[in-house]
Amino acid sequence: MSDCLFCRIVRGEIPATKVYEDDQILAFKDIAPKAPVHILVIPKQHIATLSDVRSEDSAVLGHLLAVTPRIAGEQGCSDGFRSIINTGRVGGQEVYHLHLHILGGDTPLPAMLKY
Ligand code: 5GP
Ligand code: ZN
């Protein structure tokens, strides 16, 4: 997806503050943080949403989840964090390249949802 914002970050065409990278995934600071620690973790391959995941994507997504606590810890989440994947219109997804938000800091986050 040549015009996808996060694919462009993967290719280095748009700057981002990277905090972790390997051959399968990339993590970088959110441009508009919603908590003292706010990191986005993405697969390098373009997957639009969690609803688009295929069985052959299981390994990369398993790897993404497995590395997430390490990234969170290295970014200062020493006593827990929240991870969120917004999916589609109802989920409030704004960027259609699958990403996991890591949110945290020193103090407990507010209640997850109110409606
Ligand atoms: P979503 O609502 O799709 O789950 O979250 C998209 C996130 O991407 C938002 O938290 C937003 O602040 C972040 N974001 C949007 N554009 C950029 C960008 O160009 N660079 C970075 N680092 N984050 C971005
Ligand atoms: Zn993409």
Side-chain angles (χ1 to χ4, degrees):
M1 293 288 283
S2 57
D3 57 349
C4 166
L5 176 63
F6 288 174
C7 283
R8 295 189 70 190
I9 287 176
V10 169
R11 293 197 298 267
E13 296 170 5
I14 292 176
T17 305
K18 298 178 184 179
V19 299
Y20 177 85
E21 182 170 18
D22 63 30
D23 59 329
Q24 298 181 82
I25 66 171
L26 175 66
F28 51 94
K29 294 188 178 183
D30 196 290
I31 203 168
K34 315 296 191 298
V37 176
H38 189 172
I39 304 296
L40 303 175
V41 191
I42 68 170
K44 286 188 167 178
Q45 70 187 81
H46 182 83
I47 303 171
T49 83
L50 195 58
S51 296
D52 296 298
V53 168
R54 305 155 302 162
S55 57
E56 51 264 45
D57 302 321
S58 299
V60 65
L61 292 184
H63 175 65
L64 186 153
L65 272 185
V67 177
T68 285
R70 179 175 137 201
I71 297 169
E74 287 174 356
Q75 292 305 307
C77 300
S78 58
D79 195 17
F81 60 93
R82 183 170 296 158
S83 44
I84 297 175
I85 299 175
N86 295 321
T87 302
R89 181 180 66 86
V90 171
Q93 185 173 358
E94 294 173 0
V95 178
Y96 277 74
H97 180 128
L98 174 59
H99 51 281
L100 179 143
H101 296 257
I102 295 172
L103 296 153
D106 290 336
T107 54
L109 296 163
M112 191 163 67
L113 283 176
K114 287 180 183 163
Y115 63 91

